[in-house]
Amino acid sequence: MHRYDLISCHDCGVLYRKRPLRPREKARCIRCRSVLYRGAHARGASAELTKVVALTLGAAFVFLIAQFFPIVELDVNGLTSSATLLGSIRVLWYEQMHIVATMVFLFTILFPAIELGSLLYVALGLRCGVKVPGFNRVLRAVQTAREWGMTEVLMIGILITVVKMTSLATVLPQPGLFAFGALTLMLAIVVSFDPKALWNLGDDLTRQALPGIRYKAFAPDEKVLPCHACGLVAPPLGKGRHLACVRCGTALHVRKPDSINRTWALLIAAMILYIPANLLPVMVTQSLFGAQDDTIMSGVVLFWTSGSKGLAIIIFIASVVVPMLKLGVLALLAFTAQRRSRWRPRQRTILYRMVEFIGRWSMLDIFVVTLTVALVRFKSLAVITAGPGALAFGAVVVLTMLAAMQFDPRLIWDPVDDKAAEDEKRSSAANTGNNTVIGEQHG
Ligand SMILES: [Zn+2]
Ligand SMILES: [Zn+2]
């Protein structure tokens, strides 16, 4: 067996032997239906690499425009106010909402910047035929940054804010708005490229440079572990609890350590914070007509009664339905995995995938609050500030995302595998028993 041969299903742990696919073809796990890998580009790896470099470079350029130009400008009877993303975060920071400001900064500026910068560095290097210094660490950073970058959520948040503002003032779109739109589209294409492919390309390069194979072939009965970072399935380095991937050096575990306990801990913290997140105001409006506190739910009601029913539904789904679903589904997954239940494993895997996918979308309301707070600063007319509910709400989103990441979906399938192995052992034992009986009769 050899290094590229095997692939392990991320969601249920089944091992497969890879075969080449046609372009745009997908290989799915027969047990849980998750996508294992996709067919290579028709024009080959180097054309694919050129595309990635070009797109990432373009996205990085658009990213800078999006950061430094204002997104929208408001005009109320000659009074104007405009906001850049960074400016909005600064406003939050000076309002003593340090944690929320930091969260918004990380999810909308720092992580997307790390993703683009690191990907560009590694892909550009490979394009020039060099495996850049720090290759493994930088490529791992791309993957982590990708999990936490939320540009597409921010884009929807910007659009909601714009629509919301049209009822208060004249809204003039600024270059930042279009730049964010373009960035969202470009990132969607960049994200469709799996960084694991870059590890394989890096391997090819080193093999050309150093004749002699880096990863020796291994015997079929040797114990292998899949690496969740680079995708290699091979016998790991090290012994006991300290195992590492031969290729990229990531620490490996048979199952994520303490997965269920950690999931529960994060989940319970999220459930407790979910209460203040809904009861405390996320926004406080001070206007000529006095002060008004808005919780998430009252914000939804306000949209509904003011005629923006579509927006009311979007915010209701993102901020109320999604967090509740996430808490419920994660509790169900942790509970059934703890009881080693064999109940509907495939459906539970689908639920897990869903929670992983929708997790980030609950940040929507936080982004809307951030931009609104920065835009509505008309001292004589109205000033909107962020309330403590925003902090609790942001914490719920981050905690549930962490809980989903701590949960190891392969735990859903372990009891199923164990039962199958037990049945097989029992039936083979029964068969040997029969044989002896037959033998005795003949004798
Ligand atoms: Zn699977
Ligand atoms: Zn690895």
Side-chain angles (χ1 to χ4, degrees):
M1 270 194 250
H2 209 262
R3 61 204 174 100
Y4 287 151
D5 280 1
L6 294 174
I7 185 159
S8 159
C9 172
H10 169 267
D11 288 355
C12 75
V14 177
L15 279 183
Y16 292 95
R17 191 182 292 266
K18 268 186 167 181
R19 64 172 179 83
L21 295 180
R22 281 192 297 273
R24 293 178 189 280
E25 217 180 353
K26 282 180 201 162
R28 282 179 187 275
C29 172
I30 32 173
R31 185 156 79 166
C32 75
R33 308 292 302 154
S34 77
V35 176
L36 296 168
Y37 60 103
R38 288 160 208 272
H41 202 274
R43 283 168 297 159
S46 92
E48 180 79 2
L49 205 54
T50 311
K51 194 182 107 185
V52 171
V53 171
L55 257 172
T56 318
L57 207 63
F61 179 66
V62 175
F63 177 82
L64 291 177
I65 299 178
Q67 299 307 331
F68 292 109
F69 283 87
I71 300 167
V72 282
E73 191 178 279
L74 290 193
D75 185 331
V76 187
N77 304 327
L79 286 173
T80 59
S81 142
S82 69
T84 60
L85 179 59
L86 212 57
S88 312
I89 294 169
R90 199 181 300 133
V91 170
L92 269 189
W93 181 269
Y94 286 121
E95 278 181 1
Q96 308 305 315
M97 301 294 287
H98 294 164
I99 298 175
V100 182
T102 310
M103 272 191 231
V104 177
F105 173 73
L106 292 176
F107 300 153
T108 61
I109 300 181
L110 191 65
F111 286 125
I114 291 177
E115 180 183 351
L116 288 173
S118 312
L119 192 60
L120 195 60
Y121 172 67
V122 172
L124 204 58
L126 284 178
R127 189 74 195 84
C128 303
V130 188
K131 203 170 161 185
V132 288
F135 183 85
N136 289 326
R137 197 169 306 150
V138 175
L139 211 40
R140 281 208 299 265
V142 173
Q143 281 166 319
T144 313
R146 188 171 280 188
E147 283 180 73
W148 291 99
M150 299 186 189
T151 308
E152 73 280 31
V153 185
L154 174 70
M155 185 63 217
I156 302 295
I158 291 173
L159 292 179
I160 291 179
T161 315
V162 168
V163 175
K164 190 168 140 182
M165 291 301 146
T166 48
S167 62
L168 298 171
T170 316
V171 180
L172 307 162
Q174 299 292 307
L177 180 69
F178 303 107
F180 269 113
L183 182 64
T184 309
L185 293 178
M186 292 170 109
L187 277 178
I189 308 173
V190 171
V191 163
S192 70
F193 183 79
D194 189 351
K196 287 187 179 87
L198 291 178
W199 255 298
N200 291 345
L201 285 172
D203 258 9
D204 293 343
L205 266 184
T206 14
R207 281 182 75 197
Q208 277 164 13
L210 311 160
I213 301 158
R214 265 182 86 206
Y215 319 115
K216 62 180 193 333
F218 51 90
D221 58 336
E222 216 173 332
K223 192 116 183 88
V224 293
L225 271 185
C227 170
H228 62 87
C230 74
L232 183 79
V233 181
L237 285 177
K239 280 215 164 61
R241 308 188 91 216
H242 303 283
L243 301 172
C245 173
V246 230
R247 173 154 71 176
C248 71
T250 306
L252 299 183
H253 305 280
V254 180
R255 293 292 176 264
K256 287 178 191 165
D258 280 332
S259 168
I260 295 177
N261 289 341
R262 290 185 194 181
T263 308
W264 272 126
L266 292 161
L267 201 56
I268 291 168
M271 284 172 177
I272 294 171
L273 282 169
Y274 187 66
I275 302 165
N278 281 286
L279 295 180
L280 296 177
V282 287
M283 265 194 293
V284 182
T285 312
Q286 273 149 342
S287 66
L288 300 173
F289 314 106
Q292 189 197 340
D293 286 356
D294 273 314
T295 60
I296 286 178
M297 207 49 218
S298 74
V300 172
V301 172
L302 195 72
F303 269 127
W304 185 267
T305 50
S306 66
S308 317
K309 295 204 169 144
L311 285 189
I313 293 170
I314 292 175
I315 297 199
F316 181 74
I317 291 175
S319 320
V320 183
V321 179
V322 167
M324 266 199 330
L325 259 179
K326 269 195 308 190
L327 292 174
V329 167
L330 281 170
L332 174 80
L333 291 176
F335 179 75
T336 48
Q338 196 165 24
R339 299 273 310 264
R340 295 186 58 78
S341 158
R342 292 196 303 272
W343 173 72
R344 294 178 184 263
R346 186 182 286 181
Q347 280 82 348
R348 281 191 286 145
T349 308
I350 294 171
L351 280 179
Y352 167 75
R353 232 176 276 149
M354 202 180 75
V355 165
E356 241 194 349
F357 175 75
I358 59 176
R360 57 185 51 218
W361 283 93
S362 321
M363 280 309 271
L364 189 61
D365 215 39
I366 300 292
F367 296 151
V368 173
V369 169
T370 307
L371 293 166
T372 309
V373 164
L375 280 170
V376 186
R377 318 237 96 205
F378 301 104
K379 288 213 165 54
S380 51
L381 289 172
V383 173
I384 295 182
T385 51
L391 173 59
F393 192 81
V396 171
V397 179
V398 172
L399 286 169
T400 46
M401 280 179 75
L402 286 171
M405 287 172 191
Q406 279 302 329
F407 183 77
D408 192 329
R410 291 171 297 183
L411 292 174
I412 298 173
W413 293 90
D414 282 348
V416 181
D417 286 340
D418 292 351
K419 176 80 167 43
E422 207 174 275
D423 287 351
E424 200 176 309
K425 203 186 282 173
R426 197 174 297 147
S427 79
S428 74
N431 283 340
T432 11
N434 283 339
N435 288 340
T436 17
V437 173
I438 292 164
E440 276 168 6
Q441 279 174 342
H442 277 274

